[in-house]
Amino acid sequence: MPPGASDPEWGAVPAGSEASIAVHWPEEARLPPPVGLAATANVRDDGLRTRFRERGFPECFRECADLLTWMHPYAATFDDANPPFYRWFVGGSLNASANCLDRHLDLRGDRPAIWFVPEREAAAPIALTYRTLHARVNALAALLRESAGVRAGDRVTIHLPMTPELPITMLACARLGAVHSVVFGGFSGEACGRRIADSGSRVLITMDGYDRAGRRLDHRPNADTAIAVAAQAGRTVDHLLIWERDPGTYASAAPLRPGRDLLLNDVLPAFEGRAIAPVAMPSEAPLFLMYTSGTTGRPKGAQHGTGGYLAWAAATSRWVLDLRPEEVYWCLADIGWITGHSYIVYGPLSLGATTVLYEGVPAHPDPGRPWRIAERLGVRVFQTSPTAIRQLRQLGPDAPTASGHRFRVIATVGEPIEPATWRWYHDVVGKGEAAVVDTWWQTETGGILTSTLPAIDPMKPGSTGPPLPGIDPVILDDDGKEVPKGSGRAGHLVLRSPWPGLMQTVWGDPDRFVTTYFARFHRETENPTWRDWPYVAGDGAVLAEDGYLRILGRLDDVINVAGHRLGTKEIESACLSLPEVAEAAVVPVPDELRGKRPVVYVSLRRPSADPRATGERVTRAVETAIGRFARPKAVHIVPDMPKTRSGKIMRRVLAAISNGSDPGDVTTLSNPAVVEEIRRIVAAAGSEGS
Ligand code: WTA
């Protein structure tokens, strides 16, 4: 039974938050790690954990920096002169693209860096060797510098689908020291435009179209919307650079604007063979921005630094995913989210592994597709989200059995995975022999923070695992008191010490960085150090006796839909963009496939003659402002919102109605009678839909 918010063990979890609708599954028994890994894994014994303990904070993290090639060595591991703004590997300089490409050329230049798998199955996978990738990145870097004037420190917005052009563009920016801001391809033009304006990009890079679920999508018009939205916000895009999905055939109906637009595939041949020396960047120079949803309607640009981020992405890829040079690894995620940045591009390439890039949707044309790809390419390590696993299981429960693939490690990321889904992943996808790692982390953390280590830690279905070496989590109640492990009580998941992958700041808004992540449990002292600034993840979690964490979900106004973070305030402001909508409120509901989905409540300025059409307009408004992936599960048109006497909308009451739980005492509302009315509307919609 899902616990109500009134359960005492749910103490610090606010009613109506995502964490409050978490299903409370019982603690599972632990399974031993696969025997086969013990002799071969990157981390085979407790040596790593011991070294981290013995060296202590912060020097332990030198082990991560040692995985990289530095152009100039760093003088200090860590600097907290101005907490919570930290500097890692201070005085050192490096280039991320050189770490992902140049340093591999001698040893494995002719091995594939990327296997690109087009969605159309008739099209064969394409290998890009390290040498080819290096050449393509150099040519594009030359073009960016000479035709678009891109320099170190400039921001470049990238709105591309899952094709090799995406990592090529990211690495070309990194080579020049420019800061890339990749916007997930599924975001609408409007959403992209807001991110261009916030980051101050003068250059936008897009593609004409791409294949998704068997259809060729025309992507280019999104760029026109994005540029118009950015212009309204005062930011002019000087250069729109357009890749062609099929080089030489511009497939969009949208016309080109001379002077601004450039077809990359037309002009790149002139830059072929060019060598652009990778720019030596200070370790703490920003490498990229990744916009993420928070508690306000305005997305925030998580700024990640070069040395710290790359060191953590490489180290965690080695420890948790057990990646090895020249081995084939596939992360079925989108590079447009942080998972793809760290574990399709930067982690695997910095280690010299082969990373698979799949263009389309997982179950296209059928749910056996991923396992056929894995078998064909010899994928040994695989990673995806619980939503993808649920989908593949539902559509093809026996499909993995038909394939000859044999995985060593299979990872999951992005949402809680329930034990039944975990078991299918382990037994059927992993064929009972692969280690499952349930990795918890966030856009802000740069890389994995909690997970079992595949060869040495027992696995526990439904729990992420213990912290990684160097990570120091604690559960705090609302008053900042530690919730002891094994107590079964939920609280705020907080990290007491920093690590190299932690974001540097919110782009252009350092105050927001401090208030969002550090203010809550901060301690005032005369000589502040990192110890006074614990990082608040925004997730509710429970810590078991054995030190394993169970993540319940977000405690703030964020809903995690299929592993994609959506801000309820962003969805609400999309609804409020319609003139007929007076008020809007968004709450999470559980969804069998996608974990959670948003449900929208709106009240109108005037009663609607056609409520169904109004509901559709609301849905379209959300798709236009954010993207199709944000589509609400339901839109309810209500006569009024439940409100406190001071006029505040009581989202917790709406959440209770949507989730069929007890809204608690509503007599103190200014309009208690509306609760019953809303309940009737929701019940009627439910019976209509079923
Ligand atoms: C959730 C994705 C349970 C969590 C890497 C977090 C998880 C948010 C897990 C970050 C997991 C991520 N188990 N929940 N293994 N991994 N989450 O920024 O709520 O897109 O705060 O980063 O996803 O989502 P983001």
Side-chain angles (χ1 to χ4, degrees):
M1 187 193 76
S6 55
D7 288 10
E9 60 179 339
W10 241 238
V13 174
S17 70
E18 198 190 74
S20 74
I21 59 168
V23 179
H24 204 22
W25 52 73
E27 197 71 21
E28 295 268 329
R30 310 202 311 179
L31 284 75
V35 186
L37 276 178
T40 58
N42 291 332
V43 180
R44 292 171 214 180
D45 54 38
D46 274 341
L48 174 72
R49 288 198 173 111
T50 310
R51 287 196 302 280
F52 265 69
R53 256 197 313 275
E54 282 171 356
R55 269 189 166 177
F57 180 92
E59 297 308 323
C60 55
F61 291 109
R62 276 162 38 196
E63 184 158 341
C64 308
D66 285 349
L67 294 171
L68 305 179
T69 301
W70 294 82
M71 290 162 150
H72 190 274
Y74 56 91
T77 304
F78 174 72
D79 167 20
D80 69 341
N82 180 27
F85 300 89
Y86 306 119
R87 303 199 302 157
W88 285 94
F89 312 124
V90 188
S93 63
L94 76 170
N95 182 282
S97 114
N99 270 279
C100 290
L101 301 170
D102 306 48
R103 67 170 175 158
H104 302 310
L105 293 181
D106 283 347
L107 268 180
R108 56 187 73 91
D110 297 320
R111 308 277 308 187
I114 294 177
W115 268 115
F116 172 52
V117 183
E119 192 189 68
R120 270 173 292 149
E121 201 164 5
I126 298 163
L128 281 86
T129 64
Y130 271 96
R131 211 175 302 287
T132 310
L133 187 61
H134 178 261
R136 293 194 60 184
V137 166
N138 271 274
L140 182 65
L143 183 153
L144 289 178
R145 198 165 73 182
E146 286 158 34
S147 301
V150 174
R151 295 280 179 274
D154 290 355
R155 279 79 57 211
V156 173
T157 298
I158 303 174
H159 196 202
L160 288 174
M162 281 288 285
T163 63
E165 285 75 10
L166 177 46
I168 288 170
T169 309
M170 292 161 70
L171 292 169
C173 289
R175 198 161 191 85
L176 299 173
V179 181
H180 58 71
S181 170
V182 176
V183 176
F184 167 57
F187 269 117
S188 65
E190 271 188 26
C192 180
R194 284 195 296 274
R195 287 157 177 77
I196 291 174
D198 189 88
S199 64
S201 302
R202 289 183 307 106
V203 179
L204 171 62
I205 303 179
T206 190
M207 186 171 269
D208 57 348
Y210 59 100
D211 288 338
R212 195 142 181 93
R215 286 196 308 140
R216 175 61 58 99
L217 303 182
D218 189 359
H219 185 53
R220 164 63 212 283
N222 292 322
D224 292 318
T225 310
I227 290 172
V229 166
Q232 275 164 20
R235 167 56 50 181
T236 309
V237 171
D238 302 326
H239 297 280
L240 173 62
L241 310 181
I242 307 161
W243 289 104
E244 286 155 340
R245 170 62 184 80
D246 298 315
T249 52
Y250 179 64
S252 172
L256 300 182
R257 194 155 123 194
R260 187 195 68 187
D261 301 357
L262 210 56
L263 287 179
L264 286 171
N265 298 94
D266 280 1
V267 279
L268 266 170
F271 295 88
E272 257 165 40
R274 292 286 300 277
I276 295 293
V279 178
M281 298 301 291
S283 174
E284 64 270 26
L287 176 62
F288 67 85
L289 308 180
M290 166 62 58
Y291 281 86
T292 189
S293 299
T295 44
T296 74
R298 205 160 47 88
K300 45 184 184 254
Q303 177 185 316
H304 280 286
T306 307
Y309 167 80
L310 201 62
W312 193 244
T316 49
S317 297
R318 217 181 114 72
W319 300 340
V320 181
L321 304 174
D322 199 34
L323 296 195
R324 303 174 193 175
E326 297 170 23
E327 227 182 28
V328 185
Y329 153 72
W330 180 16
C331 172
L332 179 55
D334 198 294
I335 295 176
W337 303 103
I338 192 70
T339 299
H341 274 51
S342 300
Y343 300 116
I344 299 179
V345 181
Y346 285 114
L349 294 182
S350 64
L351 295 181
T354 296
T355 183
V356 177
L357 205 155
Y358 174 58
E359 178 180 31
V361 296
H364 184 84
D366 62 71
R369 183 81 195 274
W371 322 124
R372 290 197 294 277
I373 294 172
E375 184 173 15
R376 175 164 184 174
L377 300 181
V379 175
R380 297 304 321 281
V381 177
F382 178 74
Q383 148 147 264
T384 194
S385 67
T387 290
I389 302 170
R390 283 183 216 112
Q391 227 154 23
L392 291 166
R393 178 184 182 207
Q394 191 188 61
L395 298 171
D398 302 319
T401 317
S403 147
H405 73 263
R406 287 186 66 183
F407 294 136
R408 185 171 78 246
V409 176
I410 50 181
T412 144
V413 58
E415 329 152 49
I417 180 165
E418 56 284 1
T421 304
W422 192 99
R423 246 180 234 106
W424 182 78
Y425 199 38
H426 176 265
D427 297 350
V428 184
V429 176
K431 300 187 172 164
E433 61 183 15
V436 176
V437 289
D438 177 350
T439 65
W440 172 81
W441 58 294
Q442 312 176 296
T443 301
E444 295 86 340
T445 72
I448 302 167
L449 297 190
T450 69
S451 169
T452 51
L453 295 176
I456 61 175
D457 294 328
M459 305 175 268
K460 183 154 70 172
S463 290
T464 150
L468 293 188
I471 302 302
D472 185 17
V474 63
I475 307 290
L476 300 182
D477 67 16
D478 279 337
D479 302 323
K481 277 217 300 293
E482 182 168 346
V483 177
K485 64 181 181 182
S487 70
R489 274 160 55 213
H492 302 264
L493 175 48
V494 168
L495 298 148
R496 279 185 285 216
S497 56
W499 63 96
L502 174 62
M503 67 190 276
Q504 300 178 301
T505 185
V506 172
W507 175 259
D509 199 348
D511 289 346
R512 196 168 172 201
F513 177 62
V514 178
T515 50
T516 310
Y517 302 107
F518 298 95
R520 173 134 198 180
F521 299 116
H522 159 231
R523 194 174 55 193
E524 289 286 349
T525 51
E526 268 191 26
N527 295 307
T529 71
W530 58 269
R531 288 175 206 280
D532 306 306
W533 293 93
Y535 170 86
V536 186
D539 275 331
V542 182
L543 183 58
E545 189 61 50
D546 59 6
Y548 280 40
L549 282 154
R550 219 202 106 193
I551 313 293
L552 301 171
R554 305 288 311 186
L555 297 171
D556 53 10
D557 298 325
V558 170
I559 308 180
N560 190 333
V561 181
H564 302 163
R565 247 163 93 170
L566 291 172
T568 55
K569 293 287 185 296
E570 283 166 75
I571 303 177
E572 288 167 9
S573 50
C575 302
L576 291 168
S577 71
L578 293 174
E580 65 263 46
V581 172
E583 288 177 308
V586 172
V587 298
V589 296
D591 183 84
E592 240 183 63
L593 221 49
R594 301 185 205 188
K596 273 128 220 145
R597 285 187 72 187
V599 163
V600 172
Y601 287 84
V602 290
S603 67
L604 304 177
R605 293 187 197 283
R606 262 182 321 243
S608 166
D610 185 351
R612 191 181 292 272
T614 307
E616 276 164 21
R617 272 169 59 75
V618 170
T619 298
R620 261 204 312 281
V622 174
E623 290 182 355
T624 308
I626 303 172
R628 281 182 60 83
F629 66 96
R631 214 183 147 80
K633 186 166 189 168
V635 178
H636 299 300
I637 299 171
V638 297
D640 193 8
M641 297 287 176
K643 282 188 202 134
T644 61
R645 297 223 166 92
S646 58
K648 198 169 157 269
I649 299 178
M650 292 299 281
R651 286 180 180 72
R652 102 178 144 73
V653 173
L654 296 172
I657 295 173
S658 270
N659 291 296
S661 58
D662 178 7
D665 182 13
V666 295
T667 53
T668 56
L669 295 181
S670 69
N671 52 353
V674 82
V675 175
E676 211 30 61
E677 236 179 297
I678 295 175
R679 206 197 299 278
R680 271 201 303 276
I681 291 169
V682 172
S687 56
E688 204 180 283
S690 60

